[in-house]
Amino acid sequence: MKGETTPYKTLSIRISTDGFCFCTYTASDPDTVQIHFYRTDNDITLYANLCKAIEECPLALDNVNEVKAIIVTGDFTTIPAEYDNKNRHKIFYRSCFPKADTNVEIIANRLTAQNITLLFPVEKNIYNRLAQMGNVTYYTPASIILGYIACHPFDSDRYMLAYYMNEGSLLVSMNSGKVELINSFPTADNHNQLYYLLAIWKAQGLSQTTDKLYLCGNKRVEELTGAISQFIRNRERINPTELFTPNLLNKIGETPFDIQALLLCE
């Protein structure tokens, strides 16, 4: 009918060697959220896995207006926003990762709240495949977490956020709204996770009694809470049950927090 508009539909794809997560939703109607998980086959390339996952995905992918691709990688670096020059992104990235794969596109996420730009790679064949799906915006968990912090500021001035994923951990140290440190560690071992957390907490000069630790992510958070409580007094879990309505919570299920954060910041 005249005057009717088609709802703006977004597809988010989380791409990781551990598996893919597809999420379609319409911002005007959160109840339309649909999730699909795809376990990768280690016998074929990540690109081949992606092509197969897209082909077999039961969600309607041919009528989306925007694609948001989350590239899970620890090969990221940050530069001050004043040095953000597209022609120099590869130079900055290569200075930090000289041995990294050269067959990549370097993506820049400008994080205005923190006055930094985050650089990370996307395999060219994956980049080209996703381009066939339409307008694509790229993120990595590090930029999403910083975006979430900007959209949903915490009460504490000085704190650390620890995001635990199947692929490892991401640690962010903040002071008065500015990033002091952001780093990732590709280990799923609880002892190593605890070691990295406490080592960075100490190196950043955070107080065991007055500064705060925010925790989010998968079930490893529960596994680590007891051990962390012996060293850090002020802790708070970012709990999806407090962020989403019950009907939406049932739909997002066990989706990674970075997918959830995209929904929350939409």
Side-chain angles (χ1 to χ4, degrees):
M1 294 178 63
K2 187 176 179 180
E4 288 186 349
T5 58
T6 303
Y8 193 88
K9 186 177 180 180
T10 301
L11 164 66
S12 297
I13 309 177
R14 188 180 194 270
I15 300 173
S16 165
T17 55
D18 189 64
F20 304 142
C21 179
F22 294 79
C23 174
T24 59
Y25 60 94
T26 303
S28 60
D29 185 5
D31 291 339
T32 60
V33 169
Q34 291 183 297
I35 305 289
H36 172 67
F37 292 96
Y38 183 91
R39 177 66 63 180
T40 51
D41 181 353
N42 293 330
D43 293 329
I44 59 177
T45 66
L46 189 63
Y47 169 70
N49 270 294
L50 177 62
C51 292
K52 187 178 179 183
I54 292 173
E55 181 180 347
E56 297 178 0
C57 183
L59 307 183
L61 306 182
D62 56 352
N63 61 343
V64 298
N65 301 95
E66 181 182 7
V67 178
K68 298 182 179 182
I70 305 173
I71 308 299
V72 181
T73 176
D75 291 351
F76 63 82
T77 188
T78 59
I79 58 173
E82 56 265 32
Y83 295 110
D84 186 355
N85 183 321
K86 185 176 181 180
N87 295 327
R88 304 191 68 188
H89 287 168
K90 288 186 178 180
I91 297 174
F92 285 126
Y93 177 78
R94 289 295 167 200
S95 68
C96 295
F97 302 99
K99 297 182 180 180
D101 184 5
T102 57
N103 192 32
V104 296
E105 294 286 340
I106 304 303
I107 305 298
N109 285 166
R110 173 69 73 89
L111 304 165
T112 55
Q114 288 85 23
N115 199 35
I116 60 175
T117 294
L118 190 145
L119 305 176
F120 61 96
V122 180
E123 291 181 26
K124 281 189 177 180
N125 49 9
I126 290 177
Y127 182 89
N128 293 332
R129 178 63 185 90
L130 291 176
Q132 298 174 21
M133 304 181 72
N135 180 31
V136 184
T137 304
Y138 288 91
Y139 305 89
T140 194
S143 57
I144 291 175
I145 290 300
L146 291 176
Y148 175 79
I149 289 172
C151 291
H152 302 269
F154 298 120
D155 293 334
S156 310
D157 286 332
R158 189 102 193 271
Y159 63 88
M160 181 180 288
L161 185 148
Y163 173 30
Y164 292 104
M165 308 169 279
N166 290 338
E167 301 84 3
S169 60
L170 177 69
L171 304 179
V172 182
S173 176
M174 301 288 296
N175 191 350
S176 300
K178 301 300 179 183
V179 180
E180 290 187 311
L181 176 144
I182 180 167
N183 210 340
S184 64
F185 302 93
T187 176
D189 180 82
N190 285 358
H191 294 290
N192 287 334
Q193 298 275 22
L194 182 61
Y195 170 80
Y196 290 132
L197 171 65
L198 296 178
I200 290 182
W201 187 275
K202 181 178 180 180
Q204 293 300 114
L206 291 160
S207 169
Q208 291 178 270
T209 56
T210 58
D211 294 321
K212 198 162 188 176
L213 172 65
Y214 293 92
L215 297 153
C216 62
N218 61 19
K219 63 181 181 180
R220 189 160 292 113
V221 173
E222 284 79 15
E223 296 172 357
L224 287 166
T225 296
I228 292 173
S229 65
Q230 301 177 49
F231 304 96
I232 300 173
R233 177 181 296 175
N234 293 326
R235 305 171 312 282
E236 182 176 328
R237 172 73 187 273
I238 301 174
N239 196 333
T241 60
E242 300 172 359
L243 302 174
F244 294 97
T245 57
N247 59 328
L248 189 54
L249 185 65
N250 292 334
K251 292 187 176 183
I252 64 171
E254 296 300 318
T255 57
F257 184 75
D258 40 52
I259 286 276
Q260 297 176 15
L262 279 182
L263 293 172
L264 290 166
C265 294
E266 181 67 20

